[in-house]
Amino acid sequence: MGPGLEPEVDYSIARKRMVRDQLSARGIEDKRLLQAFMEVPRHLFLDPATGARAYDDCSFPIGYSQTISQPYIQAMMMQHLQISPKDRILEVGTGSGYQTAILSLLGQEVFSVERIAPLSKNAGEILSRIRTGRIRLKITDGSDGWKFYAPYDKIIVSAAMREKPVTLLEQLGVEGMLIAPVAKEREHLVLYKWVAGELKEQILSRCAFVPLLKGIQ
Ligand code: SAH
């Protein structure tokens, strides 16, 4: 192998450890979810200098003052949504695209919106290089969702909302579920579910996400 032709670094051991020590050990049991985390190369979505640390138990900067969440937080949010292979999923906040890749392996199709154009473009490039399910990306302010493809079975929001996501909840189908960080006073992850036409709301753990912002950048 000549200079500059380095073999692709294999991080599968770091990935296995992440799944075992950070996800399984903390109660993530959904087999398909664990399999997806085993498969998606998280390091490709981060700065190459991050190397194997991409699989560490923490969040990382992804540029433009944004961060990719800690693997456990992402897994826990997705597990709450009980995603089935038939689900059409809306993701608000594509960011690096890592979670988009995982969601696409769990559901039927992912519709992911991001307000920062270079982040969305970069995510699209990486996603096109790896095996994923069906994904549609759009550069837009996702505060009001993506009405064109509604209703969705599941919605996941990766940035903190100031109040109950009323417009997004309207874009859910029958029995639809939404998980979002909501920061009225203190920030909590909240799980919403439509049950027989009635909205159920369950407050989960405390959390700290970047804020949901208006407009595109
Ligand atoms: N899940 C992402 C993490 C994204 S961080 C990942 O795996 O990398 C939250 C993202 O939400 C940021 O990229 C931010 O730009 C985006 N965001 C914030 N407000 C938004 C809005 N109104 N519409 C769409 N995206 C938004």
Side-chain angles (χ1 to χ4, degrees), residues 126-156:
I126 299 161
L127 289 167
S128 70
R129 281 169 26 208
I130 62 169
R131 188 186 89 88
T132 69
R134 296 179 63 178
I135 295 172
R136 274 176 205 265
L137 301 180
K138 189 179 180 192
I139 298 161
T140 187
D141 177 344
S143 320
D144 295 328
W146 192 350
K147 202 166 175 205
F148 188 78
Y149 290 106
Y152 302 99
D153 300 295
K154 306 286 156 67
I155 299 180
I156 186 162

Side-chain angles (χ1 to χ4, degrees), residues 24-170:
S24 300
R26 293 187 189 141
I28 305 291
E29 289 173 335
D30 182 330
K31 288 225 166 56
R32 297 174 61 241
L33 185 56
L34 295 173
Q35 184 53 43
F37 270 87
M38 201 73 100
E39 180 169 335
V40 178
R42 183 170 164 99
H43 63 279
L44 293 185
F45 293 86
L46 297 177
D47 187 314
T50 315
R53 286 185 299 127
Y55 297 94
D56 284 359
D57 192 12
C58 57
S59 59
F60 273 101
I62 54 170
Y64 308 90
S65 309
Q66 303 306 315
T67 51
I68 179 174
S69 302
Q70 181 191 357
Y72 172 72
I73 299 294
Q74 297 187 312
M76 184 262 284
M77 287 174 76
M78 288 188 269
Q79 179 162 270
H80 274 295
L81 286 179
Q82 300 167 23
I83 298 168
S84 95
K86 298 192 306 289
D87 284 350
R88 298 168 72 255
I89 306 160
L90 173 68
E91 178 186 44
V92 179
T94 313
S96 67
Y98 173 69
Q99 183 173 273
T100 320
I102 305 249
L103 290 168
S104 79
L105 296 176
L106 300 174
Q108 184 197 122
E109 186 159 14
V110 183
F111 303 83
S112 183
V113 293
E114 169 59 56
R115 62 179 287 279
I116 301 178
L119 281 179
S120 177
K121 287 193 183 125
N122 191 50
E125 245 163 60
I126 299 161
L127 289 167
S128 70
R129 281 169 26 208
I130 62 169
R131 188 186 89 88
T132 69
R134 296 179 63 178
I135 295 172
R136 274 176 205 265
L137 301 180
K138 189 179 180 192
I139 298 161
T140 187
D141 177 344
S143 320
D144 295 328
W146 192 350
K147 202 166 175 205
F148 188 78
Y149 290 106
Y152 302 99
D153 300 295
K154 306 286 156 67
I155 299 180
I156 186 162
V157 184
S158 300
M161 315 198 72
R162 304 294 312 164
E163 48 211 79
K164 185 168 164 174
V166 180
T167 316
L168 295 181
L169 288 165
E170 285 166 0

